[in-house]
């Protein structure tokens, strides 16, 4: 099917153009912030029926996590996907239109921001992890939809009925892998984490929700990598199917399983 006629610019105010990608970031942060505030306000969800965070904490954390995601995401992309080109032209590292950002780098940057913020404010680090992990799928959902609107990060060539001919993907029909990721990393993972938090009261086991998110994201990303076109400058790393996204996601699965086991053991 042809690519939908969607303008990457949502609207313009005079010379200022507002892109869907920017709106996706705003929507993801806003939805996550509102949901996190509701979780923090419900003492019954937490150990000893007392929330370790306040609404003021979450308000202050917005700036910290934004800086962590942006810096970590860009540095991660340079190190994981574009190091050869940047070593030839260091200024390329600042050209965010060349490749953008890496989720795994943004994940590391956000993790560092959480650790520093939690220690500065006397918040248990694992509970901080749990809170943010529960809301991250909002950002993944909107971000992947924005990737589709921009016609970027498309999938491999395919003849499935819903394959799309992307403007920048040549004359070939391809998997809309951005939408696969939106469904798995966004909607499905959000629903699973909400069930753990609201029904099973998993926030009472510090570290479990964070582990479930990390493991769930890693598994989702590995699955989608079988349909997503690898980065042109890297291609397949081995076997004709192994990609950098898979390699970076495997440790996440192991870390997530370890966090969940550790949390249940501590709770027991």
């Amino acid at each position: 099917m042809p690519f939908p006629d969607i303008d990457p610019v949502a609207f313009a105010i005079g010379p200022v153009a507002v892109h869907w990608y920017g709106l996706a970031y705003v929507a993801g942060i806003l939805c996550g912030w509102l949901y996190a505030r509701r979780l923090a306000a419900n003492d019954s969800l937490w150990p000893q029926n007392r929330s370790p965070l306040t609404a003021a904490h979450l308000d202050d954390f917005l700036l910290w996590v934004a800086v962590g995601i942006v810096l970590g995401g860009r540095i991660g992309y340079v190190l994981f996907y574009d190091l050869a080109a940047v070593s030839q032209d260091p200024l390329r590292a600042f050209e965010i239109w060349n490749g953008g950002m890496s989720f795994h780098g943004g994940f590391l940057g956000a993790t560092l921001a959480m650790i520093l913020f939690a220690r500065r404010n006397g918040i248990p680090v694992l509970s901080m992890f749990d809170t943010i992990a529960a809301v991250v799928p909002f950002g993944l959902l909107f971000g992947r939809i924005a990737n589709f609107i921009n016609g970027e990060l498309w999938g491999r060539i395919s003849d499935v009925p819903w394959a799309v001919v992307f403007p920048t993907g040549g004359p070939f029909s391809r998997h809309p892998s951005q939408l696969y990721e939106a469904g798995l990393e966004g909607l499905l993972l959000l629903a699973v984490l909400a069930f753990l938090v609201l029904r099973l009261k998993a926030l009472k086991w510090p570290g479990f929700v964070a582990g479930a998110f990390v493991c769930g994201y890693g598994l989702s990303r590995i699955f989608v990598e079988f349909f997503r076109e690898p980065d042109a400058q890297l291609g397949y790393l081995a076997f004709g199917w192994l990609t950098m996204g898979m390699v970076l996601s495997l440790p996440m699965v192991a870390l997530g399983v370890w966090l969940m086991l550790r949390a249940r053991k501590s709770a027991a």
Side-chain angles (χ1 to χ4, degrees):
M1 63 177 67
F3 184 75
D5 185 18
I6 306 175
D7 191 337
V9 177
F11 59 90
I13 303 175
V16 179
V18 179
H19 291 252
W20 287 109
Y21 204 81
L23 292 178
Y25 267 88
V26 173
I29 292 174
L30 181 61
C31 290
W33 170 66
L34 292 173
Y35 184 32
R37 283 172 62 98
R38 293 193 64 178
L39 296 180
N42 190 342
D43 287 331
S44 67
L45 297 176
W46 300 91
Q48 288 80 51
N49 294 319
R50 181 178 180 181
S51 173
L53 295 102
T54 66
H57 283 143
L58 294 169
D59 295 347
D60 293 341
F61 183 64
L62 277 178
L63 179 60
W64 287 65
V65 72
V67 172
I69 290 173
V70 172
L71 290 181
R74 185 56 188 167
I75 294 172
Y77 183 85
V78 169
L79 294 178
F80 302 147
Y81 296 98
D82 208 28
L83 186 58
V86 172
S87 63
Q88 296 293 324
D89 179 15
L91 291 179
R92 182 181 170 89
F94 301 97
E95 298 174 359
I96 58 174
W97 55 89
N98 276 326
M101 299 193 295
S102 157
F103 170 82
H104 296 91
F107 171 77
L108 293 174
T111 299
L112 179 59
M114 284 186 277
I115 293 172
L116 294 176
F117 184 85
R119 289 183 173 176
R120 179 172 180 173
N121 291 275
I123 301 169
V125 173
L126 289 177
S127 290
M128 188 77 200
F129 285 170
D130 288 340
T131 305
I132 305 306
V135 306
V136 168
F138 281 111
L140 295 174
L141 170 62
F142 292 118
R144 294 310 183 189
I145 292 175
N147 289 149
F148 178 80
I149 292 174
N150 285 348
E152 61 190 7
L153 303 182
W154 20 258
R156 304 182 190 183
I157 297 173
S158 173
D159 59 357
V160 296
W162 56 87
V164 176
V165 179
F166 290 93
T168 58
F172 310 106
S173 297
R174 297 177 177 276
H175 282 288
S177 55
Q178 315 96 321
L179 300 184
Y180 300 171
E181 291 186 88
L184 289 174
E185 303 165 8
L187 288 176
L188 179 60
L189 193 51
L190 180 64
V192 170
L193 296 177
F195 177 80
L196 292 175
V197 169
L198 302 176
R199 291 297 184 91
L200 301 186
K201 303 295 179 67
L203 290 175
K204 292 182 179 291
W205 318 323
F208 191 90
V209 174
F213 166 74
V214 173
C215 181
Y217 175 85
L219 291 174
S220 298
R221 180 64 181 269
I222 290 171
F223 176 77
V224 173
E225 285 289 315
F226 284 102
F227 304 94
R228 178 174 168 173
E229 186 79 7
D231 291 79
Q233 69 272 25
L234 292 179
Y236 298 110
L237 302 184
F239 315 120
W241 55 265
L242 184 68
T243 66
M244 179 61 80
M246 293 178 182
V247 171
L248 295 175
S249 297
L250 280 171
M252 296 183 70
V253 176
L255 174 62
V257 171
W258 177 78
L259 280 172
M260 288 188 286
L261 293 175
R262 179 182 183 279
R264 290 302 293 140
K265 182 178 180 181
S266 297

